Amino acid sequence: MATLSTSTEEDARPAGLTPAQLAQFQEDGYLVIPRALDRSTIDATLTVTHRMLDEFSLEHHPMTRFSTGEAQDTMHVGDAYFLTSGDKVRFFFEEDAFDANGNLTVPKSQAVNKIGHALHSLFPVFRKISMSARNAAIARSLGFHDPRVLQSMVICKQPSIGGRVPPHQDSTFLYTDPPSAVGFWYALEDATAENGCLSFAKGSHRTEAIRKRFVRRKVGGGTEFVKWPDDDDDDGSGGVGGGKLKAWGGNRREYTLTEVEAGSLVIIHGNVLHKSEKNKGNKSRFVYTFHIIEGENRYDERNWLQPGGDEGFSRLYDDQ
């Protein structure tokens, strides 16, 4: 008589990416997984998010605006409120939510660009999403040995004022040596062309190295973008791909508009060029997003986001 096999703990783990999904991610630099969140999880996450937006206080708030630094005479956000948000919950406003005198033109709950950057550490509903066994399985599929979770946030993309995000690579902001950042981007509402869905330069992660970094200033505080590598003789091939700095094609590439339904997960390679346009519609585009990095790689001490306390960034595999 045949002996029935018993399932092992490893057999019980959720499946990661299929070979076809992994191949597509490696080819394109991003992957869309529909229905990654069920309706009850989406609703619970939005309920907590709207409660935070309604209840946070403007008293003593520095009214920090989230700026990408793209517009003339503006700099990327970099005040102390922003730089100390790595283990906290902070609220950052849309640039277009203010009039010429600095007064809000919409209710505060409709003026926030994003809430971050430690939601997964401080709220169970976000921790359940980020630290799931499914995400651990995905990380294993991608070859991570010690994935660390960081920069968890809700991005609101408010109706009519949700700002444009120019072409960028996530490893510019969360640099490890070698680069290892991967974004997990969960749509809590439908993301459409009208409300500012993501667009990707397919395959750019294979040709575009990390050629600039968003770092803390060495003198005077704040943040800045710096050329990377900072050696003029280096060809900039330290990341994925290669080529001279002057050949960076972020604004000249063809981008693929990527509309997704609420509940979808978009996995984003840290070197792939992506962007989103201004929300021109009357519906918001709420997403919950975070990143993982390889804990075995050196996390640069000049990165804008630094771990708070002694524990460092959350270990994804510790929750499994």
Side-chain angles (χ1 to χ4, degrees):
M1 179 182 294
T3 303
L4 296 176
S5 62
T6 58
S7 61
T8 65
E9 182 178 342
E10 186 163 339
D11 292 333
R13 287 177 178 170
L17 301 179
T18 66
Q21 287 175 322
L22 183 59
Q24 184 175 351
F25 176 78
Q26 292 171 338
E27 175 70 17
D28 295 341
Y30 68 100
L31 175 71
V32 178
I33 302 178
R35 299 177 296 281
L37 297 180
D38 60 31
R39 189 69 248 178
S40 63
T41 300
I42 295 170
D43 290 343
T45 306
L46 285 172
T47 295
V48 172
T49 298
H50 285 296
R51 184 184 304 132
M52 287 192 291
L53 289 170
D54 290 336
E55 295 179 356
F56 85 96
S57 176
L58 294 181
E59 186 177 4
H60 306 305
H61 194 291
M63 307 303 283
T64 300
R65 309 179 193 190
F66 185 79
S67 171
T68 63
E70 184 181 32
Q72 188 174 5
D73 299 326
T74 65
M75 296 179 63
H76 196 290
V77 63
D79 63 2
Y81 184 78
F82 175 74
L83 291 175
T84 57
S85 64
D87 59 349
K88 299 176 179 65
V89 174
R90 297 277 171 82
F91 299 82
F92 304 92
F93 289 98
E94 289 283 0
E95 290 186 285
D96 289 347
F98 298 85
D99 63 20
N101 297 316
N103 301 308
L104 287 176
T105 59
V106 294
K108 67 180 176 67
S109 62
Q110 299 172 27
V112 171
N113 169 286
K114 69 174 180 175
I115 310 169
H117 291 96
L119 296 181
H120 75 283
S121 296
L122 301 172
F123 288 87
V125 69
F126 296 110
R127 184 175 188 88
K128 181 180 179 181
I129 296 173
S130 294
M131 310 298 285
S132 69
R134 175 70 192 283
N135 285 342
I138 291 173
R140 290 188 180 95
S141 296
L142 296 175
F144 279 85
H145 298 118
D146 179 20
R148 307 294 183 95
V149 177
L150 69 166
Q151 194 178 247
S152 56
M153 54 189 171
V154 168
I155 302 175
C156 302
K157 203 79 164 182
Q158 301 284 1
S160 301
I161 62 172
R164 176 180 186 268
V165 178
H168 65 282
Q169 299 161 295
D170 289 346
S171 283
T172 296
F173 302 87
L174 303 171
Y175 187 80
T176 63
D177 186 13
S180 62
V182 172
F184 286 62
W185 193 96
Y186 286 94
L188 302 178
E189 299 176 315
D190 293 346
T192 67
E194 186 177 29
N195 70 7
C197 66
L198 295 173
S199 295
F200 291 90
K202 283 187 176 182
S204 55
H205 64 300
R206 293 182 281 107
T207 60
E208 297 289 353
I210 302 303
R211 294 182 175 85
K212 64 179 179 178
R213 297 268 314 284
F214 179 66
V215 300
R216 298 181 178 223
R217 289 183 184 272
K218 292 181 177 179
V219 179
T223 58
E224 63 181 342
F225 284 101
V226 296
K227 176 184 174 182
W228 186 260
D230 55 9
D231 182 350
D232 289 338
D233 295 328
D234 198 299
D235 67 359
S237 60
V240 176
K244 300 294 184 181
L245 179 65
K246 63 183 180 182
W248 189 77
N251 293 306
R252 299 189 300 275
R253 285 181 171 271
E254 179 179 343
Y255 283 80
T256 301
L257 200 66
T258 307
E259 296 182 303
V260 299
E261 295 182 348
S264 299
L265 167 62
V266 186
I267 305 174
I268 305 171
H269 190 290
N271 279 52
V272 74
L273 288 161
H274 58 291
K275 63 178 182 175
S276 66
E277 299 303 326
K278 182 181 177 69
N279 185 348
K280 299 178 181 179
N282 58 9
K283 295 181 179 180
S284 56
R285 192 221 64 184
F286 278 49
V287 305
Y288 173 59
T289 182
F290 62 91
H291 288 78
I292 61 174
I293 56 170
E294 177 54 68
E296 295 182 356
N297 296 1
R298 186 178 71 85
Y299 185 76
D300 197 277
E301 64 278 0
R302 287 196 68 193
N303 286 339
W304 81 266
L305 180 67
Q306 293 297 322
D310 298 326
E311 297 183 2
F313 297 126
S314 305
R315 295 177 181 267
L316 178 55
Y317 293 163
D318 277 1
D319 271 29
Q320 312 312 317

